[in-house]
Amino acid sequence: MISLPPNLFFGTGIPACIIVLDKENAQDSQGIFMMDASKSFVKDGNKNRLREQDIHKIVDVFNRQLEIPKYSRFVPFEEIADSKNDYNLNIPRYIDSHEEEDIQDIEAHLLGGIPKRDVEALSEYWQVYPMLKQKLFEIADRPGYLKLKISIGEVRTYIFDYPEFITYGQEIQAVFEGWQAKHTPLLKAIQPGDNPKDIIYSLSEDLLQAFTGKSLIDKYDVYQHLMTYWVESMKDDVYILVEDGWKADMKVVRNKKGAVTDFICELIPKELMINRYFKDQQATIENLEAKRDDIVRKEEELQEEHGGEEGLLEEVTNDSRKITPVNVKDRIKKINNNATFADELKVLKAYLELIEEESKITKKIKDRTQFLDECVLKKYGYLTQDEIQTLVVDDKWMPTLHQTINSEMERISQRLTQRIKELAERYEAPLPELTSRVDELTSRVDAHLKKMGMVR
């Protein structure tokens, strides 16, 4: 029996349940295998949807009859027939999938200290970082409670810099790099006629296998990252390759005069070409853009300082609160020889200089961008098959997947740091200390009120 999430199907919001009946050797069956997958879904509009990882986990657990706490177990007939269940097959009777309640410790709120049981509840982390726990916590002034050895603000940095944490991250990276080394040649060997479904099946199953048994990181979460990327982008690339081969076909947009105004290559975006072949040119453009941004910031500062009512830039500011070069030049021409407007003239000339410099840099950016586009467009035409394979597999697919693994590691790490900080902040100030602080502040407020004559 498999319990599914609610609101999966159109026309009904009730949770569905899959019942698998196997007549073979039914007389020898000792119970029923139950699975609670009701919390494994993602919101999709106004409905819920099973993700690829949810479906794969259900199939794996069912086929292997795996018993996972809060998810699945084999329930013997004796338990089902027990008087407290009376043959009721409601799955929550047999599988408690509720999250553990985060209990507030009254004694800790009164006397301070972090409950030891809350720290021990993070045992999955201490199994991977056995020495980290000792470095973070020490015994408090009474049994059953701990206290942080470092300040709350240092927790994240301390954990992320700890050798065990770094070593674990390197081990996970090594797992991915091993999978990457195995599949990179296979991906570069894709050819017309290959079946994309076979390709993603091989990739995903090997990725699942690679991360099986790894602590902290859920192999099905890693699997979902791959499947999400496959649906969003990689699948389209693979279908292009199995239909057309390793070719960098482009869509070129031209104006009425026949000049190229834009070009798009679905398989190899322009950014990939620039990052591999034209980094220096792109860096030059980015430096110019940074200079232009700095000039614009200075213009804004001048306008903020002198653009208000009766400000030195008031005369050149139009109704839309804009300052145009024409207005500035006309005003300079008008007051150029009048000493009365010396301060205004100085500001106007400074502003005009910034505008003109911005215009020059903008033109340089436009010219260099146009030249870069011409170089990229020309390079597309000379790409070899090996270069295309490198751009697609090494520069596009693998870095994206590698980034998703890093994000998963970041999420795992943040869970630990956030929980430790949450516990430390929760019990940082015991009730007597807070009460004393309130009394102190109350006394100070009363004293001030007496001085003001508002309290007799």
Side-chain angles (χ1 to χ4, degrees), residues 2 33 35 56-66:
I2 306 169
F33 187 76
M35 194 185 314
H56 206 298
K57 185 175 182 179
I58 290 171
V59 173
D60 285 349
V61 171
F62 173 80
N63 286 337
R64 302 173 190 174
Q65 301 286 284
L66 301 175

Side-chain angles (χ1 to χ4, degrees), residues 12-125:
T12 179
I14 63 173
C17 183
I18 298 175
I19 301 178
V20 182
L21 302 176
D22 186 1
K23 294 182 180 179
E24 186 177 2
N25 299 321
Q27 67 277 6
D28 299 326
S29 178
Q30 301 298 313
I32 299 175
F33 187 76
M34 295 186 179
M35 194 185 314
D36 186 353
S38 60
K39 292 179 172 58
S40 301
F41 64 92
V42 66
K43 291 291 294 182
D44 187 3
N46 60 355
K47 305 296 290 184
N48 295 330
R49 175 172 57 83
L50 293 176
R51 298 163 294 183
E52 293 291 338
Q53 72 177 90
D54 303 323
I55 297 171
H56 206 298
K57 185 175 182 179
I58 290 171
V59 173
D60 285 349
V61 171
F62 173 80
N63 286 337
R64 302 173 190 174
Q65 301 286 284
L66 301 175
E67 294 204 3
I68 301 175
K70 296 184 176 294
Y71 189 81
S72 62
R73 63 180 287 246
F74 183 82
V75 183
F77 286 136
E78 290 80 3
E79 184 176 346
I80 297 173
D82 188 271
S83 58
K84 69 177 181 180
N85 293 318
D86 194 26
Y87 294 97
N88 189 322
L89 295 180
N90 190 17
I91 290 179
R93 284 177 172 266
Y94 309 97
I95 300 176
D96 181 10
S97 61
H98 291 91
E99 296 290 334
E100 295 290 341
E101 185 178 355
D102 188 11
I103 300 174
Q104 299 279 341
D105 190 293
I106 301 301
E107 182 178 341
H109 279 299
L110 292 173
L111 303 177
I114 300 172
K116 188 176 181 180
R117 66 169 180 273
D118 287 334
V119 176
E120 295 294 346
L122 300 169
S123 58
E124 60 175 342
Y125 289 97

Side-chain angles (χ1 to χ4, degrees), residues 63-239:
N63 286 337
R64 302 173 190 174
Q65 301 286 284
L66 301 175
E67 294 204 3
I68 301 175
K70 296 184 176 294
Y71 189 81
S72 62
R73 63 180 287 246
F74 183 82
V75 183
F77 286 136
E78 290 80 3
E79 184 176 346
I80 297 173
D82 188 271
S83 58
K84 69 177 181 180
N85 293 318
D86 194 26
Y87 294 97
N88 189 322
L89 295 180
N90 190 17
I91 290 179
R93 284 177 172 266
Y94 309 97
I95 300 176
D96 181 10
S97 61
H98 291 91
E99 296 290 334
E100 295 290 341
E101 185 178 355
D102 188 11
I103 300 174
Q104 299 279 341
D105 190 293
I106 301 301
E107 182 178 341
H109 279 299
L110 292 173
L111 303 177
I114 300 172
K116 188 176 181 180
R117 66 169 180 273
D118 287 334
V119 176
E120 295 294 346
L122 300 169
S123 58
E124 60 175 342
Y125 289 97
W126 310 137
Q127 291 173 9
V128 179
Y129 316 129
M131 298 302 298
L132 179 59
K133 176 184 172 185
Q134 300 176 25
K135 296 294 183 180
L136 287 173
F137 299 98
E138 62 183 353
I139 303 298
D141 55 1
R142 63 193 189 283
Y145 293 87
L146 305 173
K147 62 180 180 180
L148 269 179
K149 290 182 178 181
I150 59 177
S151 68
I152 296 176
E154 295 175 319
V155 169
R156 185 183 185 280
T157 302
Y158 190 89
I159 291 176
F160 278 54
D161 291 341
Y162 196 71
E164 288 178 342
F165 179 87
I166 295 173
T167 299
Y168 173 72
Q170 292 171 342
E171 291 174 357
I172 296 300
Q173 293 298 334
V175 172
F176 176 79
E177 289 168 3
W179 174 85
Q180 177 180 348
K182 176 182 178 181
H183 286 278
T184 293
L186 299 178
L187 288 172
K188 290 183 177 180
I190 293 175
Q191 58 186 359
D194 286 349
N195 189 339
K197 292 183 178 179
D198 292 339
I199 294 171
I200 187 56
Y201 180 80
S202 174
L203 289 173
S204 59
E205 292 302 312
D206 278 0
L207 188 64
L208 263 178
Q209 185 60 38
F211 281 91
T212 296
K214 300 303 174 186
S215 301
L216 297 182
I217 193 166
D218 188 330
K219 64 179 181 179
Y220 292 105
D221 287 336
V222 178
Y223 171 84
Q224 183 61 42
H225 284 303
L226 171 60
M227 298 307 296
T228 298
Y229 182 55
W230 171 261
V231 171
E232 292 177 350
S233 176
M234 191 175 174
K235 179 173 70 173
D236 294 336
D237 294 342
V238 171
Y239 270 95

